[in-house]
Every structure is written in structure tokens, then in C-alpha cells.
Amino acid sequence: MEYTCKNYPKLAEKIISATMPSGLQCLFIPKPGFKRKFAVLATPYGSINREVLIDGQPFKTPAGIAHFLEHKLFEDPNHSIENRFAALGASVNAYTTHTQTAYLFSTAENFQECLNILLDFVQKPAFTEQGVIDERSIIAQEIKMYNDQPNWAVYLGALQSMYGEHPVAEDIAGQVEDLEHIDYDLLKKCHQLFYHPERMVLVVSGDLDFKELFAMIEQNQKTKKFPPLPNLEHNIPRAQMTECAGPNKFMEVARPLFSLGIRDREVDSSQEAIRREQVASLLLEVFIGKNSPFYNRLYDEGLIDASFGVEYTSTPWYSHFIFGGESDNPRQLADELLAELKRLQECGINSQLFEQNLKKLTGLSIMDLNGLESIVMATSSDWLMDSSYFERFEHLRNIKKEDVEALLHSLDLDKSCLSVVNPLNS
């Protein structure tokens, strides 16, 4: 087996990679002296991947099927997957996002046994037709539970206001009515297509011998047969501009909740999306970071509290900022946020604040290298986007003030969307 080792001397890190005969790409990040080991097996299959061309032929699936399949891979009529990991002293989990699904575990012992279980239950599904039928009611309850959660309702309201009927505005689990269209045969076909080893990545980190690790993975893969992977072309629409009239809902909350959404332009590639996310992170630190004068003014005035937060997402299909939290006056807060962004558009970024926050983000990014979970999950996510996690650091160091200002000027602040959940008695 051939190995490739890429060193990042400025970070004192390296990645050793190999491709298994099955096509599975394996990445290993050595962490000498670490007691725990962490692994993630991921595929670029998420909630927005609902339409695909298979060798030129259209194939459509219901909303929520990626999340449903994640649930069913944990089904084993003979053994509980969670209990098998627990018996080995390990914890296991999985998640589905808009663009990917990942399965992961962490352990300090019995690593080889745990990794074999991970590869087997993800690659050799054991779910049954009856299990699929039973799962519908379980996920239906999960959907209803989320619909009753104010934090989720206000966030989803912002997405729906920004994107209308685009898949990113749908619940990752779909709607209850979608579940009846998901059956055993459809799940098996989706697994065969989207969980083919040639589409997936396995990332491992810890104090391990990489040759022994790759030999063990190769042996596991040799016990399985996979059909040839057809030509797959995902048909994900680019989001269209919609009328941004954010919803106002009334639920059992003590204080109003808000989500302020601001659309950004879509990018041309996943690599550009990663770079734009870094520029946006720097903009947010300068604009509303906890050390910024503007954040502290809003906090002192009582417009925001510790619940306040912001996220930025960039993809070739949708991109946005969402500010959220609790506030006694969401409309006034939204107006303040938009007014400050407009002021920055007109006046520019303070050079000293830019330099201070660039150093801050660089330091925080380097600190993240000490966390097995964060480094493995970020590496797998970036690999699925045809990028390298460790190259982010050099990109971050090279960001200029003009890059931040260019992103700032690209925002159309007149098309923001404010979603609010009010107390029932208001």
C-alpha cells in the first residue's frame, strides 16, 4: 500500500493518507502522547442532496431521507450498536447536516475493535423492512418535538424567509408527510449510491502506528464487496432571492427570541466557500465580537445578553449570516445591527481592530489543534469540500483588510429577514 505524508511544519502537524482498494480515502493525523483516539467516517450526502443524475438519469428522493438513513444504520436486530461501543469503553454518535452525514466515535481503549464496528455498521446496513416502518413514527415524534422548540422555530423561520422553497429552508428531518414516501428499497438504493467507499472519507487521530492502522482498515475492506460506482451528478439548485418578510410566532417563552438573516452571494466552489467563511469570521469579530465596542454598547444597553450569537455559512448554493438570541426588543436590535453594518460599509474597518482580531483568530485556530474531536471533524468536512483543514491557517494569515471590506460591501442589507418568537401573553 502506498502512503502519502504531507507536513505542515509551522503547525507541527502532518497528515498521512492512503486509498484503500475499495476506494475509501483514509487520513491519519498523528497525536503522540494522547490517550484518546477519535475517528469519523463521513459522506457528502446531506438534506439538500435530494436530486441526482445517475449516469444521466434523474433520481429524486423525499425530504429528510439522508437523516432517516443515518437513523437506520444504527439498527441491528442482534446487537445494539451503542451498547457494543459502550462495552468497549467508547462513545459513538452521528449527525446529518445540509451537506453531509458523519459517524464518529471516541475511545481510550479497544480502538481497533471500535473502528471495525464503525466501518461495518456504516458500510453493511442491517436494517429491516419492519424497522423502516417502525422508524417513521419515531422520526415523526422527533420532527414534532423540534417544531415545538422555540429556538428551532425562530431559526427555521429565518431560513424560510430567506430561501422560500429551497431545500436549505426545510427541516433536515423533513416533514411528517415525507416519511410515508421513504421505504426499505429506497433507503438501500441511497446507501448503495451515497455511501459507496469511493465517495467517503475516514479520518483518524491519536497515538497510533499508521502502518498498523492502514493495514487493519485494508483488511476490513477486503471482507466486503462493493458494486461499481455510477456517474453521479448532484442537482442542487442555487437559491433565488425571495421576499424577506420574517414571521412572527407566539410560543411558550419568557422573552422574545429572534433570528436576523442576511443573505450573502453564493460562491463558485467549495474551496472559495471555505476562504469566504474565514473572511466572514474576521468581519464578525471586528463587528460584533465580544471585545468590540459595538457589542459592549448593545450589552450595556440591555439589547443583547449571553444568549446572543451569530453563524455564517457559505456554499455554492446558499450563503448567509444569522444573528440570534433573546432580546426584549428584537426590532430595535435588528435595526441597530443593520445600522452598524451600513456604517462600516461607509466608513471601512478600523485597521487596529482588524490586526488585533486577525491575531486573535489565528491564536484560537492554533489552540483548536489540541482538540482531537475538532481537528478530525474539521479535516473530514474540509476533505469532502476538496480542501485541506491545515491549509486554512495559511489562508487566514493572508487575509487583508480589503478582503473583509469587499465582503462587507457585497451585502444587500435592505433584504434582511427578521424572524421573531414572542411570548404567548405579549
Side-chain angles (χ1 to χ4, degrees), residues 253-291:
V253 294
R255 299 176 65 204
L257 302 176
F258 79 96
S259 284
L260 174 67
I262 302 174
R263 288 276 299 270
D264 187 20
R265 69 171 180 84
E266 293 79 28
V267 295
D268 294 326
S269 67
S270 296
Q271 295 92 331
E272 185 184 352
I274 290 175
R275 290 191 290 272
R276 196 164 180 84
E277 285 183 349
Q278 289 183 296
V279 175
S281 295
L282 193 47
L283 167 61
L284 290 171
E285 286 294 334
V286 174
F287 163 50
I288 197 69
K290 290 187 176 181
N291 294 325

mmCIF file of all heavy atoms in Angstrom, residues 253-291:
data_model
loop_
_atom_site.group_PDB
_atom_site.id
_atom_site.type_symbol
_atom_site.label_atom_id
_atom_site.label_comp_id
_atom_site.label_asym_id
_atom_site.label_seq_id
_atom_site.Cartn_x
_atom_site.Cartn_y
_atom_site.Cartn_z
ATOM 1 N N VAL A 253 -42.432 31.111 25.694
ATOM 2 C CA VAL A 253 -41.087 31.605 26.005
ATOM 3 C C VAL A 253 -41.226 32.748 27.009
ATOM 4 O O VAL A 253 -42.243 33.437 27.057
ATOM 5 C CB VAL A 253 -40.343 32.089 24.740
ATOM 6 C CG1 VAL A 253 -40.067 30.926 23.806
ATOM 7 C CG2 VAL A 253 -41.128 33.189 24.010
ATOM 8 N N ALA A 254 -40.189 32.951 27.796
ATOM 9 C CA ALA A 254 -40.215 34.024 28.792
ATOM 10 C C ALA A 254 -39.925 35.374 28.153
ATOM 11 O O ALA A 254 -40.467 36.407 28.563
ATOM 12 C CB ALA A 254 -39.207 33.726 29.897
ATOM 13 N N ARG A 255 -39.031 35.382 27.153
ATOM 14 C CA ARG A 255 -38.644 36.605 26.457
ATOM 15 C C ARG A 255 -38.686 36.356 24.967
ATOM 16 O O ARG A 255 -38.563 35.211 24.521
ATOM 17 C CB ARG A 255 -37.236 37.044 26.865
ATOM 18 C CG ARG A 255 -37.053 37.366 28.321
ATOM 19 C CD ARG A 255 -35.592 37.687 28.588
ATOM 20 N NE ARG A 255 -35.166 38.888 27.904
ATOM 21 C CZ ARG A 255 -33.897 39.149 27.586
ATOM 22 N NH1 ARG A 255 -32.942 38.262 27.845
ATOM 23 N NH2 ARG A 255 -33.574 40.279 26.980
ATOM 24 N N PRO A 256 -38.827 37.397 24.152
ATOM 25 C CA PRO A 256 -38.806 37.205 22.698
ATOM 26 C C PRO A 256 -37.479 36.605 22.219
ATOM 27 O O PRO A 256 -36.407 36.927 22.746
ATOM 28 C CB PRO A 256 -38.986 38.627 22.151
ATOM 29 C CG PRO A 256 -39.651 39.380 23.252
ATOM 30 C CD PRO A 256 -39.102 38.794 24.519
ATOM 31 N N LEU A 257 -37.576 35.718 21.249
ATOM 32 C CA LEU A 257 -36.409 35.166 20.556
ATOM 33 C C LEU A 257 -36.369 35.746 19.156
ATOM 34 O O LEU A 257 -37.420 35.970 18.541
ATOM 35 C CB LEU A 257 -36.500 33.643 20.470
ATOM 36 C CG LEU A 257 -36.623 32.846 21.766
ATOM 37 C CD1 LEU A 257 -36.787 31.368 21.450
ATOM 38 C CD2 LEU A 257 -35.411 33.067 22.650
ATOM 39 N N PHE A 258 -35.173 35.954 18.633
ATOM 40 C CA PHE A 258 -35.061 36.499 17.277
ATOM 41 C C PHE A 258 -33.974 35.784 16.488
ATOM 42 O O PHE A 258 -33.015 35.250 17.053
ATOM 43 C CB PHE A 258 -34.758 38.002 17.323
ATOM 44 C CG PHE A 258 -33.308 38.301 17.598
ATOM 45 C CD1 PHE A 258 -32.420 38.552 16.572
ATOM 46 C CD2 PHE A 258 -32.829 38.297 18.899
ATOM 47 C CE1 PHE A 258 -31.082 38.807 16.834
ATOM 48 C CE2 PHE A 258 -31.492 38.553 19.176
ATOM 49 C CZ PHE A 258 -30.615 38.808 18.121
ATOM 50 N N SER A 259 -34.154 35.764 15.181
ATOM 51 C CA SER A 259 -33.110 35.355 14.243
ATOM 52 C C SER A 259 -33.128 36.354 13.094
ATOM 53 O O SER A 259 -34.145 36.489 12.402
ATOM 54 C CB SER A 259 -33.344 33.941 13.710
ATOM 55 O OG SER A 259 -33.019 32.957 14.660
ATOM 56 N N LEU A 260 -32.042 37.069 12.924
ATOM 57 C CA LEU A 260 -31.902 38.033 11.840
ATOM 58 C C LEU A 260 -31.037 37.418 10.753
ATOM 59 O O LEU A 260 -29.856 37.128 10.977
ATOM 60 C CB LEU A 260 -31.267 39.333 12.347
ATOM 61 C CG LEU A 260 -30.941 40.380 11.269
ATOM 62 C CD1 LEU A 260 -32.222 40.923 10.640
ATOM 63 C CD2 LEU A 260 -30.104 41.512 11.857
ATOM 64 N N GLY A 261 -31.616 37.188 9.582
ATOM 65 C CA GLY A 261 -30.888 36.586 8.476
ATOM 66 C C GLY A 261 -30.491 37.612 7.440
ATOM 67 O O GLY A 261 -31.273 38.498 7.085
ATOM 68 N N ILE A 262 -29.259 37.506 6.951
ATOM 69 C CA ILE A 262 -28.758 38.375 5.890
ATOM 70 C C ILE A 262 -28.134 37.495 4.814
ATOM 71 O O ILE A 262 -27.159 36.770 5.086
ATOM 72 C CB ILE A 262 -27.712 39.382 6.410
ATOM 73 C CG1 ILE A 262 -28.303 40.253 7.522
ATOM 74 C CG2 ILE A 262 -27.190 40.251 5.271
ATOM 75 C CD1 ILE A 262 -27.292 41.181 8.177
ATOM 76 N N ARG A 263 -28.706 37.515 3.628
ATOM 77 C CA ARG A 263 -28.175 36.713 2.530
ATOM 78 C C ARG A 263 -26.831 37.254 2.057
ATOM 79 O O ARG A 263 -26.589 38.460 2.021
ATOM 80 C CB ARG A 263 -29.158 36.731 1.346
ATOM 81 C CG ARG A 263 -30.431 35.926 1.536
ATOM 82 C CD ARG A 263 -30.240 34.459 1.197
ATOM 83 N NE ARG A 263 -29.850 34.234 -0.173
ATOM 84 C CZ ARG A 263 -30.694 34.048 -1.189
ATOM 85 N NH1 ARG A 263 -32.009 34.074 -0.968
ATOM 86 N NH2 ARG A 263 -30.253 33.829 -2.414
ATOM 87 N N ASP A 264 -25.951 36.345 1.673
ATOM 88 C CA ASP A 264 -24.688 36.697 1.032
ATOM 89 C C ASP A 264 -24.694 36.065 -0.358
ATOM 90 O O ASP A 264 -25.518 35.199 -0.661
ATOM 91 C CB ASP A 264 -23.516 36.188 1.876
ATOM 92 C CG ASP A 264 -22.162 36.662 1.362
ATOM 93 O OD1 ASP A 264 -22.134 37.668 0.613
ATOM 94 O OD2 ASP A 264 -21.146 36.033 1.699
ATOM 95 N N ARG A 265 -23.788 36.466 -1.203
ATOM 96 C CA ARG A 265 -23.717 35.876 -2.537
ATOM 97 C C ARG A 265 -23.187 34.455 -2.463
ATOM 98 O O ARG A 265 -22.377 34.113 -1.596
ATOM 99 C CB ARG A 265 -22.828 36.710 -3.456
ATOM 100 C CG ARG A 265 -21.343 36.670 -3.101
ATOM 101 C CD ARG A 265 -20.517 37.327 -4.185
ATOM 102 N NE ARG A 265 -19.092 37.309 -3.878
ATOM 103 C CZ ARG A 265 -18.272 36.299 -4.118
ATOM 104 N NH1 ARG A 265 -18.758 35.172 -4.651
ATOM 105 N NH2 ARG A 265 -16.992 36.371 -3.814
ATOM 106 N N GLU A 266 -23.649 33.600 -3.381
ATOM 107 C CA GLU A 266 -23.116 32.245 -3.479
ATOM 108 C C GLU A 266 -21.737 32.293 -4.140
ATOM 109 O O GLU A 266 -21.424 33.207 -4.911
ATOM 110 C CB GLU A 266 -24.048 31.334 -4.281
ATOM 111 C CG GLU A 266 -25.383 31.060 -3.620
ATOM 112 C CD GLU A 266 -26.361 32.202 -3.775
ATOM 113 O OE1 GLU A 266 -26.252 32.946 -4.777
ATOM 114 O OE2 GLU A 266 -27.229 32.371 -2.901
ATOM 115 N N VAL A 267 -20.915 31.306 -3.841
ATOM 116 C CA VAL A 267 -19.564 31.246 -4.399
ATOM 117 C C VAL A 267 -19.511 30.205 -5.505
ATOM 118 O O VAL A 267 -20.468 29.463 -5.733
ATOM 119 C CB VAL A 267 -18.532 30.922 -3.300
ATOM 120 C CG1 VAL A 267 -18.477 32.044 -2.284
ATOM 121 C CG2 VAL A 267 -18.868 29.607 -2.603
ATOM 122 N N ASP A 268 -18.380 30.137 -6.204
ATOM 123 C CA ASP A 268 -18.267 29.249 -7.357
ATOM 124 C C ASP A 268 -17.720 27.871 -7.021
ATOM 125 O O ASP A 268 -17.819 26.948 -7.831
ATOM 126 C CB ASP A 268 -17.377 29.896 -8.436
ATOM 127 C CG ASP A 268 -18.005 31.153 -9.032
ATOM 128 O OD1 ASP A 268 -19.249 31.176 -9.152
ATOM 129 O OD2 ASP A 268 -17.261 32.094 -9.344
ATOM 130 N N SER A 269 -17.127 27.713 -5.840
ATOM 131 C CA SER A 269 -16.533 26.423 -5.494
ATOM 132 C C SER A 269 -16.518 26.255 -3.987
ATOM 133 O O SER A 269 -16.637 27.225 -3.224
ATOM 134 C CB SER A 269 -15.093 26.335 -6.027
ATOM 135 O OG SER A 269 -14.255 27.263 -5.340
ATOM 136 N N SER A 270 -16.346 25.002 -3.551
ATOM 137 C CA SER A 270 -16.263 24.727 -2.123
ATOM 138 C C SER A 270 -15.023 25.352 -1.506
ATOM 139 O O SER A 270 -15.056 25.828 -0.356
ATOM 140 C CB SER A 270 -16.265 23.211 -1.896
ATOM 141 O OG SER A 270 -17.476 22.647 -2.332
ATOM 142 N N GLN A 271 -13.915 25.373 -2.261
ATOM 143 C CA GLN A 271 -12.690 25.981 -1.738
ATOM 144 C C GLN A 271 -12.880 27.472 -1.490
ATOM 145 O O GLN A 271 -12.433 28.013 -0.477
ATOM 146 C CB GLN A 271 -11.527 25.768 -2.718
ATOM 147 C CG GLN A 271 -11.137 24.312 -2.890
ATOM 148 C CD GLN A 271 -11.867 23.653 -4.050
ATOM 149 O OE1 GLN A 271 -12.982 24.036 -4.396
ATOM 150 N NE2 GLN A 271 -11.224 22.674 -4.654
ATOM 151 N N GLU A 272 -13.585 28.140 -2.418
ATOM 152 C CA GLU A 272 -13.862 29.566 -2.223
ATOM 153 C C GLU A 272 -14.779 29.768 -1.025
ATOM 154 O O GLU A 272 -14.657 30.752 -0.294
ATOM 155 C CB GLU A 272 -14.491 30.157 -3.477
ATOM 156 C CG GLU A 272 -14.704 31.668 -3.390
ATOM 157 C CD GLU A 272 -15.410 32.251 -4.605
ATOM 158 O OE1 GLU A 272 -15.605 31.517 -5.599
ATOM 159 O OE2 GLU A 272 -15.771 33.437 -4.553
ATOM 160 N N ALA A 273 -15.708 28.827 -0.805
ATOM 161 C CA ALA A 273 -16.617 28.924 0.338
ATOM 162 C C ALA A 273 -15.837 28.903 1.646
ATOM 163 O O ALA A 273 -16.124 29.675 2.573
ATOM 164 C CB ALA A 273 -17.623 27.783 0.296
ATOM 165 N N ILE A 274 -14.850 28.019 1.756
ATOM 166 C CA ILE A 274 -14.054 27.934 2.976
ATOM 167 C C ILE A 274 -13.294 29.234 3.213
ATOM 168 O O ILE A 274 -13.249 29.758 4.330
ATOM 169 C CB ILE A 274 -13.084 26.736 2.894
ATOM 170 C CG1 ILE A 274 -13.870 25.427 2.983
ATOM 171 C CG2 ILE A 274 -12.044 26.809 4.008
ATOM 172 C CD1 ILE A 274 -13.025 24.194 2.789
ATOM 173 N N ARG A 275 -12.701 29.780 2.162
ATOM 174 C CA ARG A 275 -11.961 31.037 2.316
ATOM 175 C C ARG A 275 -12.898 32.184 2.697
ATOM 176 O O ARG A 275 -12.553 33.037 3.515
ATOM 177 C CB ARG A 275 -11.208 31.358 1.021
ATOM 178 C CG ARG A 275 -10.040 30.414 0.756
ATOM 179 C CD ARG A 275 -9.170 30.920 -0.367
ATOM 180 N NE ARG A 275 -9.833 30.821 -1.659
ATOM 181 C CZ ARG A 275 -9.792 29.750 -2.443
ATOM 182 N NH1 ARG A 275 -9.113 28.675 -2.054
ATOM 183 N NH2 ARG A 275 -10.394 29.741 -3.615
ATOM 184 N N ARG A 276 -14.102 32.188 2.104
ATOM 185 C CA ARG A 276 -15.053 33.260 2.430
ATOM 186 C C ARG A 276 -15.529 33.143 3.879
ATOM 187 O O ARG A 276 -15.770 34.153 4.545
ATOM 188 C CB ARG A 276 -16.233 33.233 1.464
ATOM 189 C CG ARG A 276 -17.073 34.513 1.476
ATOM 190 C CD ARG A 276 -17.983 34.600 0.265
ATOM 191 N NE ARG A 276 -18.804 35.810 0.257
ATOM 192 C CZ ARG A 276 -18.408 36.993 -0.190
ATOM 193 N NH1 ARG A 276 -17.159 37.130 -0.664
ATOM 194 N NH2 ARG A 276 -19.219 38.033 -0.178
ATOM 195 N N GLU A 277 -15.674 31.933 4.377
ATOM 196 C CA GLU A 277 -16.057 31.748 5.776
ATOM 197 C C GLU A 277 -14.995 32.327 6.714
ATOM 198 O O GLU A 277 -15.326 32.880 7.767
ATOM 199 C CB GLU A 277 -16.295 30.273 6.065
ATOM 200 C CG GLU A 277 -17.615 29.751 5.490
ATOM 201 C CD GLU A 277 -17.877 28.303 5.831
ATOM 202 O OE1 GLU A 277 -16.951 27.637 6.340
ATOM 203 O OE2 GLU A 277 -19.004 27.825 5.575
ATOM 204 N N GLN A 278 -13.731 32.200 6.326
ATOM 205 C CA GLN A 278 -12.679 32.763 7.164
ATOM 206 C C GLN A 278 -12.737 34.288 7.170
ATOM 207 O O GLN A 278 -12.564 34.921 8.216
ATOM 208 C CB GLN A 278 -11.311 32.288 6.670
ATOM 209 C CG GLN A 278 -11.042 30.815 6.939
ATOM 210 C CD GLN A 278 -9.653 30.403 6.498
ATOM 211 O OE1 GLN A 278 -9.328 30.440 5.304
ATOM 212 N NE2 GLN A 278 -8.830 30.015 7.439
ATOM 213 N N VAL A 279 -12.973 34.870 5.989
ATOM 214 C CA VAL A 279 -13.090 36.331 5.914
ATOM 215 C C VAL A 279 -14.284 36.798 6.726
ATOM 216 O O VAL A 279 -14.215 37.792 7.458
ATOM 217 C CB VAL A 279 -13.216 36.775 4.436
ATOM 218 C CG1 VAL A 279 -13.465 38.288 4.360
ATOM 219 C CG2 VAL A 279 -11.969 36.408 3.647
ATOM 220 N N ALA A 280 -15.409 36.062 6.630
ATOM 221 C CA ALA A 280 -16.609 36.423 7.391
ATOM 222 C C ALA A 280 -16.358 36.328 8.893
ATOM 223 O O ALA A 280 -16.860 37.153 9.669
ATOM 224 C CB ALA A 280 -17.769 35.530 6.977
ATOM 225 N N SER A 281 -15.607 35.309 9.317
ATOM 226 C CA SER A 281 -15.286 35.166 10.746
ATOM 227 C C SER A 281 -14.535 36.377 11.263
ATOM 228 O O SER A 281 -14.788 36.864 12.378
ATOM 229 C CB SER A 281 -14.467 33.898 10.978
ATOM 230 O OG SER A 281 -15.208 32.751 10.672
ATOM 231 N N LEU A 282 -13.627 36.888 10.449
ATOM 232 C CA LEU A 282 -12.856 38.062 10.843
ATOM 233 C C LEU A 282 -13.751 39.308 10.882
ATOM 234 O O LEU A 282 -13.663 40.130 11.807
ATOM 235 C CB LEU A 282 -11.695 38.258 9.878
ATOM 236 C CG LEU A 282 -10.589 39.228 10.275
ATOM 237 C CD1 LEU A 282 -10.134 39.012 11.701
ATOM 238 C CD2 LEU A 282 -9.422 39.109 9.309
ATOM 239 N N LEU A 283 -14.650 39.423 9.888
ATOM 240 C CA LEU A 283 -15.594 40.535 9.895
ATOM 241 C C LEU A 283 -16.449 40.518 11.164
ATOM 242 O O LEU A 283 -16.664 41.558 11.805
ATOM 243 C CB LEU A 283 -16.498 40.458 8.660
ATOM 244 C CG LEU A 283 -17.741 41.368 8.669
ATOM 245 C CD1 LEU A 283 -17.344 42.835 8.744
ATOM 246 C CD2 LEU A 283 -18.611 41.092 7.452
ATOM 247 N N LEU A 284 -16.922 39.343 11.543
ATOM 248 C CA LEU A 284 -17.801 39.239 12.709
ATOM 249 C C LEU A 284 -17.073 39.596 13.998
ATOM 250 O O LEU A 284 -17.667 40.182 14.915
ATOM 251 C CB LEU A 284 -18.390 37.833 12.800
ATOM 252 C CG LEU A 284 -19.424 37.501 11.718
ATOM 253 C CD1 LEU A 284 -19.787 36.023 11.760
ATOM 254 C CD2 LEU A 284 -20.671 38.356 11.884
ATOM 255 N N GLU A 285 -15.802 39.242 14.099
ATOM 256 C CA GLU A 285 -15.033 39.609 15.290
ATOM 257 C C GLU A 285 -14.888 41.126 15.393
ATOM 258 O O GLU A 285 -15.050 41.711 16.467
ATOM 259 C CB GLU A 285 -13.647 38.949 15.263
ATOM 260 C CG GLU A 285 -13.659 37.464 15.549
ATOM 261 C CD GLU A 285 -14.096 37.137 16.964
ATOM 262 O OE1 GLU A 285 -13.933 37.996 17.867
ATOM 263 O OE2 GLU A 285 -14.606 36.025 17.178
ATOM 264 N N VAL A 286 -14.592 41.771 14.264
ATOM 265 C CA VAL A 286 -14.440 43.228 14.268
ATOM 266 C C VAL A 286 -15.771 43.907 14.540
ATOM 267 O O VAL A 286 -15.858 44.866 15.315
ATOM 268 C CB VAL A 286 -13.866 43.706 12.910
ATOM 269 C CG1 VAL A 286 -13.853 45.232 12.839
ATOM 270 C CG2 VAL A 286 -12.458 43.153 12.690
ATOM 271 N N PHE A 287 -16.824 43.384 13.942
ATOM 272 C CA PHE A 287 -18.149 43.998 14.009
ATOM 273 C C PHE A 287 -18.845 43.773 15.345
ATOM 274 O O PHE A 287 -19.262 44.718 16.023
ATOM 275 C CB PHE A 287 -18.981 43.453 12.842
ATOM 276 C CG PHE A 287 -20.464 43.652 12.957
ATOM 277 C CD1 PHE A 287 -20.995 44.901 13.264
ATOM 278 C CD2 PHE A 287 -21.340 42.597 12.736
ATOM 279 C CE1 PHE A 287 -22.371 45.088 13.357
ATOM 280 C CE2 PHE A 287 -22.705 42.772 12.825
ATOM 281 C CZ PHE A 287 -23.229 44.024 13.144
ATOM 282 N N ILE A 288 -18.951 42.502 15.772
ATOM 283 C CA ILE A 288 -19.791 42.166 16.916
ATOM 284 C C ILE A 288 -19.115 41.160 17.849
ATOM 285 O O ILE A 288 -19.773 40.488 18.640
ATOM 286 C CB ILE A 288 -21.157 41.631 16.423
ATOM 287 C CG1 ILE A 288 -22.237 41.641 17.508
ATOM 288 C CG2 ILE A 288 -20.987 40.255 15.760
ATOM 289 C CD1 ILE A 288 -22.679 42.996 17.909
ATOM 290 N N GLY A 289 -17.790 41.022 17.758
ATOM 291 C CA GLY A 289 -17.070 40.163 18.690
ATOM 292 C C GLY A 289 -17.219 40.681 20.120
ATOM 293 O O GLY A 289 -17.470 41.876 20.348
ATOM 294 N N LYS A 290 -17.037 39.807 21.104
ATOM 295 C CA LYS A 290 -17.290 40.192 22.492
ATOM 296 C C LYS A 290 -16.345 41.273 22.998
ATOM 297 O O LYS A 290 -16.614 41.899 24.030
ATOM 298 C CB LYS A 290 -17.217 38.953 23.393
ATOM 299 C CG LYS A 290 -18.383 38.007 23.182
ATOM 300 C CD LYS A 290 -18.400 36.880 24.194
ATOM 301 C CE LYS A 290 -19.636 36.016 24.015
ATOM 302 N NZ LYS A 290 -19.712 34.905 24.991
ATOM 303 N N ASN A 291 -15.241 41.510 22.287
ATOM 304 C CA ASN A 291 -14.332 42.589 22.682
ATOM 305 C C ASN A 291 -14.562 43.863 21.875
ATOM 306 O O ASN A 291 -13.853 44.856 22.069
ATOM 307 C CB ASN A 291 -12.878 42.142 22.513
ATOM 308 C CG ASN A 291 -12.507 41.019 23.478
ATOM 309 O OD1 ASN A 291 -12.989 40.990 24.606
ATOM 310 N ND2 ASN A 291 -11.669 40.094 23.034
#
